[in-house]
Amino acid sequence: RRGAFDFIEKPFEAERLLHLVARATESERLKFEYERLRERAGPADELTGSSAAINNVRATLKRVAGTGSRVLITGAAGVGKEVAARVLHGWSGRHTAPFRVISSARMEPETVEAELFGSEGEDGAIRVGLLEQAHGGTVFLDEVADMPLTTQGKILRVLTDQSFTRVGGRTMIRVDVRIISGSARDLMTEIAEGRFREDLYYRLNVVPVHIPSLRERRDDIASLCEHFVGRYAADRRAPPPEISAEAMAALQAHDWPGNVRELRNVVERVMILAPSDRLGRIDADMLPAELVRGGTDILPNAESITAIPLKEARENFEREYLRIQINRFSGNISRTATFIGMERSALHRKLKLLGLTDNSDGDA
């Protein structure tokens, strides 16, 4: 129950004892090798996309990858903070060493020291902690805003000189680990309200990297869908289905509060629930109802239609239609005009006439 590989009864033969020790050693070696290979293969979800927003994130990660600087990755839940941390580790000189994720929310003050630093029993048994396991590699502190205040102080001491003693031990252990942290919350607000240590914030926030939400990079939705569709099709040993133009329009018009994680779940759900005779194409009617309504339900209900003149009804339709299309193309007026079949200058005039704010330069 405490992690023993096997047991041997007395009296025992030396040959059998050596055999069990060899098996236990080999098992641990294979387990470690598997983790190393899985990490080197990279995460299933990469920073997919070609939008300016995600290209800026990739460029920053590449610049900082070769350094040992600490990085604080911020962004809403589901944008891919852990994915970015794994990409950063993979591009660094530490890519052959371990990558360990520590969930800050699970750091209980009573057990955090043993989990992070390891422990030594009175019988000499040693349990290696997460920091020691990651020696030479990278540690990702997931959602640091959830870390208890008492734990924050203990982490701060390790960041200062990267040394500690195991619980119950006396020997000073030195480690070489790179710390990457992530947070979906505003840490300055957490500091102001007394929930996060300011000195720890400045230790972690050497290089800030912000990952934009999916609605801020709608251009990437098509490539992300292709990525997820291809991955799930490969798992099922089937050719990837085509995504219809209507389905893609609905996907690009949705606001995605759950970001990339929500998009991945939707694609997986659609492929699992697709009828056997429709596996080759994803149409709009196969998407969840909330996506289709959000992207295509732009007409007022019948009661409101009968209460307004034709001109006003037509203007309402045009206003909602253009709003959805502009959102779909991330505010890019030129791409919107090309898709709907209008001249760019004519679209600008139409937006002004309908009272829609035109903040973009159209060519970003």
Side-chain angles (χ1 to χ4, degrees), residues 253-316:
H254 187 55
D255 275 344
W256 299 109
N259 293 293
V260 178
R261 184 185 298 131
E262 182 187 0
L263 175 62
R264 181 188 62 203
N265 292 345
V266 165
V267 171
E268 183 177 7
R269 185 193 322 167
V270 169
M271 293 191 66
I272 290 172
L273 299 179
S276 57
D277 59 340
R278 301 181 64 184
L279 295 177
R281 178 183 169 94
I282 296 176
D283 291 309
D285 64 337
M286 300 166 67
L287 299 176
E290 62 270 19
L291 266 70
V292 179
R293 284 197 302 269
T296 61
D297 188 12
I298 59 177
L299 287 171
N301 59 47
E303 183 178 352
S304 63
I305 289 177
T306 59
I308 59 176
L310 174 62
K311 181 181 178 181
E312 186 177 345
R314 184 170 59 244
E315 288 181 353
N316 288 343

Side-chain angles (χ1 to χ4, degrees), residues 79-97:
V79 295
K81 295 186 288 294
E82 183 180 336
V83 173
R86 289 183 180 275
V87 168
L88 179 57
H89 172 74
W91 286 345
S92 74
R94 300 171 179 265
H95 65 276
T96 58

Side-chain angles (χ1 to χ4, degrees), residues 145 183 185-197:
S183 178
R185 299 212 294 265
D186 183 357
L187 291 181
M188 294 306 295
T189 300
E190 298 296 308
I191 291 171
E193 296 181 0
R195 292 191 295 266
F196 200 82
R197 293 181 58 135

Side-chain angles (χ1 to χ4, degrees), residues 192-353:
E193 296 181 0
R195 292 191 295 266
F196 200 82
R197 293 181 58 135
E198 187 173 10
D199 48 1
L200 178 58
Y201 170 77
Y202 289 114
R203 288 280 184 182
L204 297 174
N205 190 32
V206 177
V207 179
V209 175
H210 179 73
I211 302 182
S213 59
L214 191 53
R215 65 176 173 272
E216 298 175 80
R217 54 183 188 107
R218 295 177 193 269
D219 290 355
D220 293 334
I221 290 176
S223 54
L224 281 164
C225 286
E226 291 175 5
H227 172 73
F228 294 135
V229 163
R231 196 178 93 194
Y232 295 129
D235 290 343
R236 299 167 67 172
R237 293 181 174 83
E242 174 192 358
I243 302 176
S244 72
E246 294 79 8
M248 184 56 67
L251 290 166
Q252 290 178 322
H254 187 55
D255 275 344
W256 299 109
N259 293 293
V260 178
R261 184 185 298 131
E262 182 187 0
L263 175 62
R264 181 188 62 203
N265 292 345
V266 165
V267 171
E268 183 177 7
R269 185 193 322 167
V270 169
M271 293 191 66
I272 290 172
L273 299 179
S276 57
D277 59 340
R278 301 181 64 184
L279 295 177
R281 178 183 169 94
I282 296 176
D283 291 309
D285 64 337
M286 300 166 67
L287 299 176
E290 62 270 19
L291 266 70
V292 179
R293 284 197 302 269
T296 61
D297 188 12
I298 59 177
L299 287 171
N301 59 47
E303 183 178 352
S304 63
I305 289 177
T306 59
I308 59 176
L310 174 62
K311 181 181 178 181
E312 186 177 345
R314 184 170 59 244
E315 288 181 353
N316 288 343
F317 171 83
E318 289 180 341
R319 186 179 293 108
E320 285 304 299
Y321 173 79
L322 292 176
R323 181 186 62 79
I324 289 172
Q325 295 296 358
I326 290 170
N327 280 342
R328 176 186 176 188
F329 293 105
S330 303
N332 190 306
I333 302 300
S334 296
R335 293 185 61 197
T336 304
T338 299
F339 178 80
I340 66 177
M342 290 182 69
E343 292 291 334
R344 184 172 177 271
S345 57
L347 178 56
H348 276 293
R349 288 195 297 272
K350 175 64 75 173
L351 294 175
K352 185 175 181 181
L353 179 65

